[in-house]
Amino acid sequence: MDRLVKADVKEVELVFKRGQRNTTTFRLTNLMHTMSVAVSLTTKNPSFFSFNKPFSIIPPLSSSSYTLLLSPPSDQPPLTNPPDAITVKTIMLPLGTAHHDDLSRLFSKPGPHLFKDATLPISFVGPHVIEHLVSSHTQIAEIDLFLNKAISGCPVNQLTGLLKSAVVSGKAKLVGTLIDHGGDVNDKDSKGRSLISLAVQAGHLEVLNVLISSGCEIDNSVDHVLHHAAAINRVDLMEVLFRACKNVDLNSVDFCDRTPIHIAASYGYTDVIRFCLSVGGNPEVLDVNRCTPLHLAAQEGHLDAAECLLEASSFVKYALNKQGKTAFALAVENGHSNLYDLLQLGDALNRAARIDNVNGIKSCLAEGGNVNGKDQNGWTPLHRAAFKGRIESVKALLNHGAKANLVDDNGYTPLHCAVEAGHVQVALLLIAHGAKANERSLKGVVPLKSDCFKNPPPLVQPLCCEKERA
């Protein structure tokens, strides 16, 4: 005979409830027609599990119920891999009766009298088990092992609630399994936001991909997903959203009328700003306070972000917010001197150099202007003063550290500009301060020779004049 008793289940499921007394019941049936059978129940972890009847006697062809108890109450299920199991051992009892101590001795002795009738795995089921899997650091392979069992004790509405927690936790495999078992991928939170919003805010790219492939949809009126991605400097999330969600809009605004570029500018996230600009983002949108993204970057002192925004728009430098302040005014107000030259002093310094306002030059430099700062064409204040022949301005700039051999975007040095315009004294002054007469430009400017100062020749590409006129 292979066995003496038969269990009514192949696996014992225990609905785990955090901090409560957890029990489950199963039945064993005596298969013997004329003889009683003694039963012993054990587990690998007796510190976790106990039975109402560890030893019992079942009459012929009768059944008996047994209760498995998880004790003491716990905040988390004792998950093990492989799972714990109930071992059912039996012994035939010709007399049909025996004392507890006698049964204990009988089952402690190995031999042919002892039958191992069944091994019943113990599975923990219910939402509290899934919550534990969501919050724990359990390995992915083990999550699959436990999750498939735990889900069997959960109705669909509970799976949907657990899905939100899984999204925030970043467990993409768990998210996919919950969706496969009926979790509603388009359920909303209390603020009406989609699961995609939750995934993006938490920065989980893999979860985002699972949600998109499962048909999760967003509502632009509440799901400011690009704003969330911008706030955590995640271009990768923005790329996925822009590619997969057809209704995302890089110029959409949040409740403060701010675009994703506003958000990135306020944090100084230059990579996000560049991505937004590359796919159609508008750097000139005004928020509820009539602030451009440049206002926000200037207010926080983000130099690289400000430079990036100025490359995209020349207008924003002069835009006024609701208080009538430019980005430069906000930088000054907040003491961000590293932005002064970029936002205003560079313009003032170039203007002073052009009109030979030496006091203006000194004032700009004293306030933090960059003596070697370049405009949109690569001209420094020294280029401009040299081309105009403003010798006093040239002296002031050189005395304050202006570099005589810097080239503009077309390869012109200040010396080239002076020679082209016929300003011999300025040219000689530049040479005296180290300007190289044989310096070549990026565009192949003719080397300067000493006789050039008698009849200054035009340069190969007289762009200096064009720039000045512009």
Side-chain angles (χ1 to χ4, degrees):
M1 176 175 286
D2 293 330
R3 57 181 176 172
L4 303 180
V5 298
K6 178 182 178 182
D8 64 340
V9 293
K10 293 183 178 180
E11 187 171 348
V12 175
E13 292 187 348
L14 181 62
V15 178
F16 176 79
K17 295 181 180 179
R18 193 182 300 110
Q20 299 183 33
R21 187 172 183 268
N22 296 283
T23 63
T24 189
T25 302
F26 61 97
R27 295 180 65 82
L28 296 176
T29 300
N30 182 355
L31 300 177
M32 302 293 291
H33 287 73
T34 60
M35 194 174 297
S36 296
V37 173
V39 176
S40 166
L41 302 177
T42 58
T43 64
K44 297 177 185 177
N45 295 298
S47 59
F48 293 142
F49 301 103
S50 60
F51 298 92
N52 65 329
K53 295 183 291 186
F55 298 106
S56 64
I57 298 173
I58 306 177
L61 297 179
S62 298
S63 297
S64 181
S65 294
Y66 299 87
T67 299
L68 173 69
L69 172 67
L70 176 65
S71 61
S74 173
D75 287 336
Q76 59 186 43
L79 303 176
T80 59
N81 187 13
D84 206 338
I86 300 170
T87 300
V88 181
K89 295 180 181 179
T90 57
I91 296 174
M92 289 186 288
L93 286 179
L95 298 178
T97 61
H99 292 293
H100 181 280
D101 291 342
D102 295 332
L103 292 177
S104 179
R105 283 193 298 272
L106 283 171
F107 282 107
S108 65
K109 295 178 181 180
H113 67 288
L114 192 62
F115 289 78
K116 185 177 179 181
D117 276 15
T119 299
L120 305 175
I122 301 172
S123 296
F124 291 95
V125 302
H128 288 188
V129 180
I130 302 177
E131 288 175 3
H132 170 70
L133 294 175
V134 169
S135 61
S136 72
H137 298 291
T138 309
Q139 297 297 317
I140 296 297
E142 293 184 343
I143 285 180
D144 288 345
L145 171 68
F146 302 133
L147 182 62
N148 289 328
K149 301 296 183 183
I151 283 179
S152 65
C154 298
V156 170
N157 65 325
Q158 285 183 328
L159 293 181
T160 298
L162 293 165
L163 181 57
K164 296 174 185 175
S165 299
V167 166
V168 174
S169 75
K171 291 184 169 68
K173 186 81 173 182
L174 187 55
V175 169
T177 301
L178 290 170
I179 293 172
D180 291 342
H181 283 79
D184 184 1
V185 73
N186 280 307
D187 187 56
K188 309 293 184 182
D189 71 1
S190 59
K191 297 181 180 179
R193 297 173 301 179
S194 70
L195 294 178
I196 285 182
S197 273
L198 302 182
V200 173
Q201 281 184 292
H204 299 314
L205 178 61
E206 191 175 356
V207 172
L208 173 61
N209 285 321
V210 170
L211 293 173
I212 290 173
S213 64
S214 299
C216 187
E217 299 177 350
I218 62 173
D219 178 354
N220 278 324
S221 65
V222 290
D223 287 313
H224 302 299
V225 289
L226 294 177
H227 294 74
H228 299 325
I232 58 175
N233 199 22
R234 293 292 297 275
V235 174
D236 56 341
L237 295 173
M238 299 183 82
E239 288 175 336
V240 170
L241 291 165
F242 191 73
R243 182 176 63 250
C245 303
K246 303 303 181 184
N247 58 336
V248 296
D249 180 6
L250 276 165
N251 293 313
S252 64
V253 296
D254 62 12
F255 302 114
C256 294
D257 288 345
R258 292 182 175 179
T259 67
I261 299 180
H262 279 94
I263 304 301
S266 68
Y267 288 106
Y269 295 150
T270 308
D271 288 342
V272 172
I273 294 172
R274 292 193 185 282
F275 170 76
C276 291
L277 294 173
S278 71
V279 291
N282 182 358
E284 299 178 356
V285 175
L286 303 178
D287 69 8
V288 68
N289 294 312
R290 296 191 60 78
C291 286
T292 67
L294 183 63
H295 280 100
L296 304 186
Q299 182 172 287
E300 300 300 327
H302 299 310
L303 177 61
D304 290 343
E307 288 179 335
C308 183
L309 292 165
L310 286 172
E311 288 174 5
S313 170
S314 57
F315 163 77
V316 291
K317 182 187 291 190
Y318 310 104
L320 301 177
N321 66 7
K322 188 177 286 187
Q323 286 72 42
K325 296 178 180 180
T326 63
F328 173 76
L330 292 180
V332 172
E333 192 174 278
N334 290 277
H336 300 307
S337 58
N338 61 321
L339 291 173
Y340 293 175
D341 183 73
L342 180 70
L343 295 175
Q344 178 166 309
L345 291 179
D347 291 344
L349 183 56
N350 276 309
R351 184 167 57 253
R354 185 176 70 248
I355 64 175
D356 208 24
N357 181 359
V358 174
N359 289 332
I361 290 173
K362 293 178 179 179
S363 176
C364 286
L365 295 176
E367 291 180 28
N370 182 1
V371 71
N372 292 304
K374 295 185 175 184
D375 66 10
Q376 69 272 19
N377 297 307
W379 270 33
T380 66
L382 189 59
H383 279 88
R384 200 167 295 282
F387 183 76
K388 284 293 188 179
R390 311 304 191 190
I391 194 163
E392 294 304 320
S393 292
V394 170
K395 289 178 182 178
L397 292 166
L398 290 170
N399 289 336
H400 283 83
K403 296 179 180 179
N405 289 303
L406 288 181
V407 296
D408 69 4
D409 293 350
N410 287 295
Y412 289 91
T413 65
L415 180 56
H416 286 119
C417 295
V419 171
E420 178 183 290
H423 302 305
V424 176
Q425 295 303 315
V426 172
L428 292 173
L429 178 61
L430 290 168
I431 291 173
H433 279 78
K436 297 178 181 179
N438 62 346
E439 190 78 10
R440 284 183 178 272
S441 78
L442 299 176
K443 298 292 186 179
V445 172
V446 177
L448 301 177
K449 301 181 184 298
S450 59
D451 57 358
C452 291
F453 302 122
K454 299 176 183 178
N455 296 295
L459 298 178
V460 172
Q461 294 182 0
L463 294 180
C464 295
C465 295
E466 295 175 12
K467 291 177 185 175
E468 188 63 23
R469 285 194 295 271

